Amino acid sequence: MAKRKTIDGELGEERVTRRSTRGRTVKEEVVDEEMIVEKVKAKDTVKTKGMAVKKSPIKDEESESKEEVKKTETLPAKTNGTAPSAPGERQHWLLKAEPESRLEKGHDVKFSIDDLAAKSVPEPWDGIRSYAARNNLRAMKKGDLAFFYHSSCKTPAIVGVMEIVQEHSPDLTAQDPKAAYYDPKDTDPSNPRWSVVHVEFREKFSNPLTLRELKDMQGSWKEISEMQLLKQSRLSVTGVTGGEWEFLMSVIKKREKGDVKEEM
DNA sequence: GCCAACGTTGGC
DNA sequence: GCCAACGTTGGC
């Protein structure tokens, strides 16, 4: 995911960006893992951005380290679906990004499914600044699948699928004062507060499943009556249970086929 | 630890 | 632009 519009810009480097909660992404340099590792260790800068759920400035660090760690920090966001936990099984998620341009500290955080599809290297999903969302990022395993959801736009909808190709690593964009989602509280080098996971595009649906449709189906289909997305509308990174994933994919595929909309 | 005020997200 | 949901802050 990533990024925004950078698509044209620099190519050589590739920058990546990501998204975040609400928005989406920003760009940054592309980094590969090695770079990431290095950055993580050494420096601090990344410049990119991310947004995401931002949260607020949290309390101070100490608190963060302590209490926060306890409570918020550790639990995967609520209940929902996080993923199946059976060993070896893939977990499923839903990540939101904003497909329409919006400036955050001077950076356009736009990041759509098409932006992700255009990437040639794993995209860091950065900018997440909500503990519940970040905890979900940290619970992701390589190989997990996630719905790409367009938010804060004309037609909020699940528009495609991506795969988690690299588990969490520090989101150093939080430490870059110029980044869209800079977090002044994230100052302890030994304990980066925010995380990213790297994702790769897998598919774009010809017929997106809109939020409106999801809500309409929610009442009559028990399979999705408890979806975290629908119960915690502000969370930008939510869990999707195996049953929810299977149900939604079947609905999506069915409509793709003949484009029959089954309105459930 | 409770809770009111306040800020943000995100759909509409 | 409005507003509901929800998280954080900070007084007590």
Side-chain angles (χ1 to χ4, degrees), chain A residues 17-19 28 31 36 40 46 48-51 95 123-129 133-134 137-140 164 166-174 192-199:
Chain A
T17 349
R18 89 223 25 326
R19 95 209 60 357
E28 206 91 339
V31 176
I36 297 185
V40 175
V46 167
T48 311
K49 91 313 262 55
M51 79 173 26
L95 308 197
E123 174 75 6
W125 199 270
D126 58 26
I128 299 299
R129 301 290 181 268
R134 178 260 251 159
L137 287 181
R138 291 185 176 180
M140 294 178 184
I164 307 307
Q166 185 185 311
E167 295 174 17
H168 75 89
S169 56
D171 181 355
L172 300 178
T173 64
R193 184 173 298 213
W194 306 113
S195 302
V196 300
V197 288
H198 283 68
V199 305

Side-chain angles (χ1 to χ4, degrees), chain A residues 58-69 131 183-189 191 193:
Chain A
I58 312 177
K59 6 183 112 221
D60 37 314
E61 298 213 322
E62 306 184 16
S63 23
E64 199 212 356
S65 346
K66 317 184 167 181
E67 356 194 321
E68 221 173 36
V69 174
Y131 288 105
D183 175 6
K185 298 280 189 64
D186 186 14
T187 58
D188 180 355
N191 185 26
R193 184 173 298 213

Side-chain angles (χ1 to χ4, degrees), chain A residues 3-21:
Chain A
K3 147 162 320 5
R4 60 191 310 353
K5 49 203 26 259
T6 340
I7 307 191
D8 6 354
E10 354 216 333
L11 306 172
E13 292 193 350
E14 318 204 331
R15 323 167 136 249
V16 179
T17 349
R18 89 223 25 326
R19 95 209 60 357
S20 57
T21 314

Side-chain angles (χ1 to χ4, degrees), chain A residues 33-84:
Chain A
E33 323 196 337
E34 299 143 33
M35 291 178 84
I36 297 185
V37 176
E38 300 196 349
K39 294 184 175 191
V40 175
K41 331 178 150 173
K43 19 196 89 216
D44 38 20
T45 18
V46 167
K47 16 230 57 261
T48 311
K49 91 313 262 55
M51 79 173 26
V53 172
K54 27 193 59 246
K55 66 178 357 245
S56 43
I58 312 177
K59 6 183 112 221
D60 37 314
E61 298 213 322
E62 306 184 16
S63 23
E64 199 212 356
S65 346
K66 317 184 167 181
E67 356 194 321
E68 221 173 36
V69 174
K70 307 184 174 160
K71 2 180 105 181
T72 326
E73 236 175 51
T74 311
L75 347 153
K78 295 202 149 203
T79 331
N80 221 4
T82 307

